[in-house]
Amino acid sequence: MARLSDIIEEFIKSLIKQSEGELELQRNELAEYFECAPSQINYVLATRFSLDRGYHIESFRGGGGFIRIVKLNLDEDDYLLYLTNERIGVSITWQESDDIVTNILERGIINEREAAIMKAALRDKTIAVPKNLRGVIRANMLRAMLVAIISTQV
Amino acid sequence: MARLSDIIEEFIKSLIKQSEGELELQRNELAEYFECAPSQINYVLATRFSLDRGYHIESFRGGGGFIRIVKLNLDEDDYLLYLTNERIGVSITWQESDDIVTNILERGIINEREAAIMKAALRDKTIAVPKNLRGVIRANMLRAMLVAIISTQV
DNA sequence: AAGACAAAGGTCAAAGATGGTCAAAAGATA
DNA sequence: TATCTTTTGACCATCTTTGACCTTTGTCTT
């Protein structure tokens, strides 16, 4: 776990926690602080603060420009319906599905064990079919499991 | 004269013992340490740390990638291990998998919701691939989910 | 107001860092 | 010798890091 991206991720998350869900930062400043390429900040934002992980990013260029990160707090039921009806299309990657499951775990919609069961089923190794088919099966699986969760909700 | 694979096996086992059942290691680092081909590490993992022998392996590629080895709890999960290693073969029908899930629900190993999630994933409709492949995927899925259950058991 | 320049941030593809797979070669064993 | 196991290496898949080049906005000068 020596990845710089992970370290930057944790740093940003701690800042978000301190500022209660919303944060504004400057890309170049952060890049200088971590002695990395500015574009690495974009990479961290794209991979660790994606919508699937429950964040929203806005940015503003020009002098005085900045990046705003907002931790989203949506209604559980709406979010699950959004996932099954819109987000999960005909195909989905492992990374995306993994992010989504982590996200609903963090929102308290499912527990650790349910998340572990779902993630196990969604792994590439589990779905051992040609690549083009794999994403399609995974989308079906994730959707089916989410529907099961929705219908067992109390 | 002990074979290298045996030496590596013992080495890894001692690390697992030290870290109480769960270990993360880097393939290239280990290969360098033992001055062997990286793929020999895969060989050791495949032959000595298989599910049959009570281990679960997960790996992550890319910069900072690593391999996680989890020693499963053999004593308490006898029945589950029988399922993963013997009962579920290379292929399984929907009916069989559904019965197995119902069975572990009735034994109190999983709860209603976990059963619902698993059954949703195992349905024919979810695994929309040619019939001959379907049973194979289902076997992988059921096994993977059961392993997840074993390793999240407290 | 127009133009020039500075100060952000964005994109994308190449290079780097891991790990995986598979089959052939080498070695051990029956 | 025949067969089984181990070792190796060539080629593949995925994630991370870096850098060259682009776009947008603000400010200063004329």
Side-chain angles (χ1 to χ4, degrees):
Chain A
M1 148 83 172
R3 290 187 209 104
L4 180 54
S5 287
D6 290 336
I7 296 169
I8 297 175
E9 174 186 0
E10 287 313 312
F11 181 76
I12 293 176
K13 280 186 173 164
S14 76
L15 292 183
I16 292 177
K17 206 163 260 176
Q18 279 171 45
S19 55
E20 286 170 24
E22 192 165 335
L23 172 68
E24 279 166 21
L25 56 82
Q26 297 214 271
R27 189 182 75 149
N28 290 341
E29 195 184 312
L30 200 59
E32 224 167 283
Y33 180 76
F34 284 105
E35 291 174 34
C36 66
S39 53
Q40 179 148 17
I41 305 301
N42 296 79
Y43 177 73
V44 172
L45 294 177
T47 58
R48 317 296 217 263
F49 296 89
S50 62
L51 186 55
D52 286 339
R53 290 194 181 200
Y55 295 89
H56 173 61
I57 306 276
E58 256 179 311
S59 69
F60 302 87
R61 306 192 197 189
F66 61 92
I67 297 172
R68 178 181 297 144
I69 308 174
V70 183
K71 182 163 185 166
L72 298 173
N73 201 355
L74 304 170
D75 176 77
E76 257 185 41
D77 298 329
D78 288 349
Y79 183 58
L80 289 174
L81 288 173
Y82 154 75
L83 287 177
T84 57
N85 297 334
E86 295 174 50
R87 173 60 186 90
I88 306 168
V90 292
S91 179
I92 194 167
T93 66
W94 167 72
Q95 187 74 78
E96 292 169 326
S97 67
D98 202 73
D99 284 348
I100 289 171
V101 174
T102 301
N103 191 216
I104 62 174
L105 168 62
E106 281 173 4
R107 286 166 187 272
I109 297 174
I110 57 174
N111 63 31
E112 294 273 0
R113 203 197 208 193
E114 288 154 358
I117 291 172
M118 294 177 74
K119 287 186 174 197
L122 293 165
R123 275 196 282 273
D124 270 12
K125 212 174 166 185
T126 304
I127 312 171
V129 296
K131 212 175 165 189
N132 56 326
L133 252 183
R134 193 182 297 153
V136 178
I137 305 300
R138 180 157 31 221
N140 284 341
M141 282 174 44
L142 181 53
R143 194 176 359 256
M145 291 191 285
L146 290 175
V147 169
I149 288 164
I150 293 171
S151 37
T152 54
Q153 229 155 13
V154 220
Chain B
M1 172 164 99
R3 281 156 303 192
L4 180 53
S5 287
D6 292 335
I7 296 170
I8 297 176
E9 174 186 1
E10 287 314 312
F11 181 76
I12 294 176
K13 281 187 173 162
S14 76
L15 291 183
I16 292 176
K17 205 162 263 174
Q18 279 172 46
S19 55
E20 287 170 23
E22 191 165 336
L23 172 68
E24 279 168 21
L25 56 83
Q26 298 212 271
R27 189 182 75 150
N28 290 342
E29 196 184 311
L30 201 59
E32 223 168 283
Y33 182 76
F34 285 105
E35 292 174 36
C36 65
S39 54
Q40 179 148 15
I41 306 302
N42 296 80
Y43 177 73
V44 173
L45 294 177
T47 58
R48 319 293 216 267
F49 296 88
S50 62
L51 185 53
D52 278 343
R53 297 191 178 199
Y55 294 89
H56 172 59
I57 308 273
E58 252 181 313
S59 69
F60 301 87
R61 306 190 196 189
F66 60 91
I67 298 172
R68 177 181 299 142
I69 308 174
V70 182
K71 183 174 174 129
L72 301 175
N73 196 335
L74 284 162
D75 301 331
E76 296 170 23
D77 301 315
D78 237 26
Y79 179 61
L80 290 177
L81 279 169
Y82 154 73
L83 289 177
T84 59
N85 294 335
E86 294 174 49
R87 173 63 190 85
I88 305 169
V90 291
S91 178
I92 193 168
T93 66
W94 166 76
Q95 186 65 65
E96 291 171 319
S97 69
D98 203 73
D99 287 348
I100 288 173
V101 175
T102 301
N103 189 241
I104 61 174
L105 169 61
E106 282 170 0
R107 283 167 180 252
I109 296 173
I110 58 174
N111 63 32
E112 294 275 358
R113 205 198 206 193
E114 287 154 358
I117 291 171
M118 294 178 71
K119 288 189 174 192
L122 293 164
R123 276 195 280 274
D124 270 12
K125 208 175 164 187
T126 304
I127 313 169
V129 296
K131 214 173 171 184
N132 57 324
L133 256 182
R134 192 181 296 151
V136 178
I137 302 301
R138 181 156 33 223
N140 283 342
M141 282 174 45
L142 181 52
R143 193 174 4 252
M145 291 191 285
L146 291 176
V147 169
I149 288 164
I150 295 171
S151 41
T152 54
Q153 221 143 32
V154 214

